[in-house]
Amino acid sequence: DGSLLFQQVPMVEIDGMKMVQTRAILNYIATKHNLYGKDLKERALIDMYVEGMFDLNELFVMYEITPEDKREQQIANMIDKAENRYFPVFEKVLKDHGKDFLVGNQLSKADVQLLEIILM
């Protein structure tokens, strides 16, 4: 019926709109519920951290299409990058920031995304 703008999911119906594209949906929901920073600087930090998390997530997605004979190598690569490249960054941000959240002093979209990637 034309609801899927690019003929693919995800699609969320919210506030009278049919929204597509993951990042657009996430940004809308985060903004609506005050999870997207209090100003432009906080929003930029949130975007920066979330984009790093999306990069890490791509490693997990690639595993699904990795040929069987290379999956063990892919797992080792995922673990190495998670432990030595990505998670240390978020640990440092939290330590340097001195708060319980990645940005500002309240829960943000970045904190939610980090929890998701940790649980994966």
Side-chain angles (χ1 to χ4, degrees):
D1 69 352
S3 294
L4 296 175
L5 188 62
F6 299 106
Q7 300 176 15
Q8 63 191 30
V9 292
M11 182 187 77
V12 172
E13 291 189 51
I14 186 169
D15 297 337
M17 297 185 300
K18 292 182 179 181
M19 296 189 68
V20 297
Q21 295 298 337
T22 301
R23 288 181 176 111
I25 294 165
L26 291 173
N27 289 343
Y28 183 85
I29 293 169
T31 301
K32 180 177 179 166
H33 296 285
N34 298 317
L35 298 171
Y36 207 8
K38 69 176 177 9
D39 56 29
L40 190 59
K41 181 178 177 182
E42 285 190 1
R43 186 172 277 181
L45 290 171
I46 290 167
D47 286 341
M48 187 171 64
Y49 301 149
V50 169
E51 288 299 319
M53 291 174 219
F54 283 150
D55 290 346
L56 178 55
N57 187 55
E58 283 183 28
L59 294 173
F60 300 137
V61 172
M62 293 303 295
Y63 175 79
E64 295 299 322
I65 61 171
T66 299
E68 190 71 35
D69 63 324
K70 297 189 185 213
R71 283 192 168 188
E72 197 169 310
Q73 179 183 351
Q74 179 67 13
I75 289 173
N77 183 43
M78 288 186 311
I79 291 170
D80 176 60
K81 286 185 177 173
E83 290 179 347
N84 298 308
R85 180 185 293 181
Y86 293 97
F87 289 150
V89 168
F90 301 120
E91 289 173 359
K92 182 177 183 336
V93 167
L94 286 166
K95 183 179 177 186
D96 290 352
H97 183 51
K99 306 287 183 191
D100 294 329
F101 306 101
L102 288 169
V103 177
N105 197 22
Q106 68 178 37
L107 185 71
S108 76
K109 169 183 153 176
D111 300 299
V112 175
Q113 292 287 151
L114 183 56
L115 176 61
E116 179 186 12
I117 201 89
I118 289 169
L119 294 174
M120 288 178 63

